[in-house]
Amino acid sequence: MYALVDCNNFYVSCERVFNPALNERPVVVLSNNDGCFIARSNEAKALGLPMGGPAFKFREILFKHRVAIYSANFPLYGDMSSRVMNTLGGLAPGMEVYSIDEAFLDLGGFGLIGLEAHARTIRRAVRRGTGIPVSIGIAPTKTLAKLANRMAKKDPVFEGVCILNDESEARAAMAGMAVEHVWGIGRRHTEFLNRNGVMTALDLADASESWVRRHLHITGARLQAELNGRSCLPLELVRPAKQSICTSRSFGSAITEQGGLEQAVVNFATKCALKLRGEGEVAGMVTVFACTSPFEERDHRYWGTRTVALPVPTQDTLAIVRAAEVILNDIFKPGFRYKKAGVTLDGLVPLAGSLPAPTLFVREEGREASSRLMQALDAVNSRYGQGTLRVASDASNGWKQRQERLSPHYTTCWDDIINIRP
DNA sequence: TCTGGGGTCCTAGGACCC
DNA sequence: TCTGGGGTCCTAGGACCC
């Protein structure tokens, strides 16, 4: 049996741990730039504030109901997440961390009798250890565990734990579940399935296998098998190496000068290189994009992007920054109001064993020097804060984000902890 | 005025190989 | 009536996830 443990309204719950006055109040957390709702308390959901809704369109509701509004505080949420995962890891023989607020657990070996008791133990342990409330769905496949989790969360009768023990329980659950809520069925597939009379998860489970294979492809076929209790998606105990690394941001206000855009792109390239070293990988390709708001008038819209291969796969900040600057220079067109940009690294391979024999153009000493420089860079920035030692063009006067309602970094920053006021 | 960020997997088609 | 079989690599685009 698999369990899916999912933190309730995770980002809101993180804010509430450190500010209990938020309990029972409507609370929302906004995306970067204070743009959209990315987490809502149950009270905020009841007010009709939609996931992904742009905050400025709901200003009246927010004001009228005195909704507590927070800018996203990802250092806090990331740290709370690892505390939750550490707690969960000790309570099951196998765990797959699926997202910042979800994990699959292997509950094989507990027997059907002990399952519910153990699930309740897990809930209590996470609540006691971290302050975060979770819901748990348990079933013979990951897809059914997802479905059970949704039921545990939506219907108070379950008190946070829903178990689908066998086929008849699974079928009853699926009959009451709209197909759009099945894991892996998004908007487009929902449209298509509904058009063809497939309205519930059970309809999908019972549909002709060849029809599903033809229209929903191999992923749909796997999903259907999982709904029917045949497990196709194993627990991934070790996180696979990343295949791409991306850093992108929207800007608080539009950028029109190349210099400002360059500062942002260099900053993103630097962040990508740091993540890359954290993964122990080297990158073979760099992509840069810069674009206007998609809500601009058609003639004022622009999306520029280009990818270049690095001469040698590397994790060197300076090499990656140089490549990014060359690309930006190439795609920048004056006369547009740039609202967002980003850098992506691709062609990632593990550093260990990745180094080709020295060639005419790449000598061993260069790589050694680069590696030592990056170690020094990371050591300084890790101790004194990211950005303490940086490329000169990585500056912040040309671009910034909006973060007007940021809570303190309660768990990761001494200065913030010292300055917390009741 | 104001609309997020970071990923994965799959398919189809082109170009190429023996 | 007729069309070989079996591959790889690359890219673009679509769909999905949180």
Side-chain angles (χ1 to χ4, degrees):
Chain A
M1 296 291 266
Y2 294 99
L4 176 66
V5 183
D6 188 322
C7 302
N8 300 345
N9 314 330
F10 181 54
Y11 301 160
V12 165
S13 294
C14 290
E15 299 290 348
R16 280 177 167 169
V17 167
F18 296 93
N19 188 351
L22 297 174
N23 290 336
E24 275 139 54
R25 276 188 64 189
V27 183
V28 294
V29 174
L30 303 179
S31 63
N32 269 335
N33 247 347
D34 295 347
C36 305
F37 304 127
I38 55 170
R40 305 155 299 149
S41 70
N42 290 345
E43 299 79 5
K45 289 175 187 171
L47 291 175
L49 301 174
M51 186 63 171
F56 75 91
K57 283 192 179 172
F58 296 90
R59 212 184 307 152
E60 274 177 36
I61 299 180
L62 294 171
F63 181 77
K64 181 172 166 202
H65 296 275
R66 299 167 35 81
V67 176
I69 304 170
Y70 284 86
S71 301
N73 185 344
F74 290 113
L76 174 67
Y77 311 149
D79 183 67
M80 292 301 287
S81 172
S82 47
R83 289 163 194 246
V84 170
M85 299 308 168
N86 283 337
T87 306
L88 292 177
L91 293 166
M95 168 170 74
E96 172 187 341
V97 176
Y98 176 67
S99 75
I100 193 167
D101 73 332
E102 286 172 73
F104 287 102
L105 302 181
D106 171 10
L107 292 188
F110 281 91
L112 293 185
I113 308 300
L115 275 178
E116 167 146 12
H118 190 61
R120 303 234 168 255
T121 302
I122 292 173
R123 281 192 93 210
R124 274 196 306 274
V126 174
R127 189 63 183 254
R128 190 177 60 234
T130 68
I132 301 289
V134 300
S135 301
I136 303 179
I138 299 176
T141 68
K142 287 163 94 173
T143 306
L144 286 171
K146 270 279 202 184
L147 201 141
N149 184 282
R150 186 181 167 86
M151 297 172 67
K153 195 168 285 183
K154 295 285 166 194
D155 191 338
V157 77
F158 292 109
E159 296 179 342
V161 177
C162 172
I163 304 177
L164 303 176
N165 280 301
D166 55 38
E167 190 184 336
S168 67
E169 288 182 13
R171 288 183 67 81
M174 287 191 288
M177 185 71 64
V179 74
E180 64 193 282
H181 296 134
V182 173
W183 188 37
I185 299 298
R187 232 192 22 235
R188 299 304 294 271
H189 285 342
T190 299
E191 245 170 64
F192 170 80
L193 290 169
N194 285 173
R195 230 175 18 245
N196 287 276
V198 176
M199 309 309 285
T200 67
L202 186 60
D203 293 339
L204 180 54
D206 287 342
S208 142
E209 286 183 17
S210 60
W211 183 83
V212 170
R213 175 68 182 82
R214 189 160 61 245
H215 295 288
L216 270 51
H217 313 293
I218 186 70
T219 36
R222 273 199 288 260
L223 192 158
Q224 185 187 30
E226 285 247 323
L227 287 179
N228 284 309
R230 300 194 300 276
S231 181
C232 303
L233 305 171
L235 211 59
E236 298 196 348
L237 299 175
V238 289
R239 182 171 66 78
K242 278 197 200 308
Q243 299 180 32
S244 67
I245 288 175
C246 175
T247 304
S248 73
R249 294 286 183 279
S250 302
F251 306 126
S253 49
I255 296 178
T256 52
E257 302 302 317
Q258 186 171 349
L261 207 49
E262 183 186 358
Q263 290 177 4
V265 164
V266 168
N267 183 260
F268 303 157
T270 301
K271 286 194 167 89
C272 280
L274 180 68
K275 292 183 199 172
L276 184 65
R277 292 193 291 275
E279 291 287 317
E281 296 190 295
V282 292
M285 286 180 283
V286 180
T287 303
V288 177
F289 74 86
C291 59
T292 57
S293 163
F295 305 101
E296 286 272 8
E297 295 290 323
R298 188 164 288 281
D299 297 349
H300 297 106
R301 265 180 256 164
Y302 173 61
W303 172 278
T305 182
R306 217 189 110 200
T307 302
V308 300
L310 291 159
V312 179
T314 185
Q315 53 172 215
D316 185 301
T317 296
L318 302 179
I320 291 167
V321 163
R322 269 194 295 271
E325 289 189 303
V326 169
I327 300 175
L328 178 67
N329 196 47
D330 194 52
I331 62 175
F332 179 82
K333 280 200 209 170
F336 289 101
R337 304 177 69 246
Y338 292 90
K339 203 66 181 47
K340 181 176 179 177
V343 174
T344 303
L345 304 179
D346 279 290
L348 307 189
V349 287
L351 172 65
S354 75
L355 299 179
T359 68
L360 187 56
F361 303 108
V362 186
R363 290 181 304 159
E364 192 58 46
E365 312 88 84
R367 282 201 294 266
E368 175 64 23
S370 154
S371 153
R372 291 176 56 179
L373 179 58
M374 290 305 110
Q375 279 173 31
L377 176 75
D378 290 343
V380 169
N381 285 338
S382 151
R383 178 157 174 188
Y384 296 103
Q386 290 304 322
T388 302
L389 190 55
R390 61 179 188 272
V391 176
S393 46
D394 175 3
S396 59
N397 51 327
W399 71 284
K400 53 183 180 298
Q401 289 195 267
R402 211 170 31 239
Q403 273 195 325
E404 288 172 356
R405 298 160 177 278
L406 188 60
S407 55
H409 295 52
Y410 294 105
T411 61
T412 55
C413 173
W414 285 114
D415 286 343
D416 277 11
I417 295 168
I418 290 160
N419 290 328
I420 292 171
R421 279 186 289 275

